[in-house]
Amino acid sequence: MKQIKIRLQNPKRLVCGVAADLASKFGWSCFWTRMAWAGVTVFMPSVSLLIYFVLALLAEQWRRPV
């Protein structure tokens, strides 16, 4: 469980990094943002997939300063 928590808190990309970009843009916890995405995906997979792709397209505009 500790390794999963460490992996979810890591701001580096998991798939496309939309949750990490949202967390950094709004100052949220990366772990809880990814947990929210996981919950939404379980309960509403088609809606969350659509939102994920829309946010992935917008993520280019949100790039974190390196």
Side-chain angles (χ1 to χ4, degrees), residues 17 19 22 27 35 50 53 65:
L22 278 174
M35 292 301 292
L50 177 66
F53 283 124

Side-chain angles (χ1 to χ4, degrees), residues 51-63:
I51 293 170
Y52 187 85
F53 283 124
V54 167
L55 290 175
L57 293 173
L58 295 174
E60 289 296 320
Q61 300 169 2
W62 295 354
R63 288 289 172 217

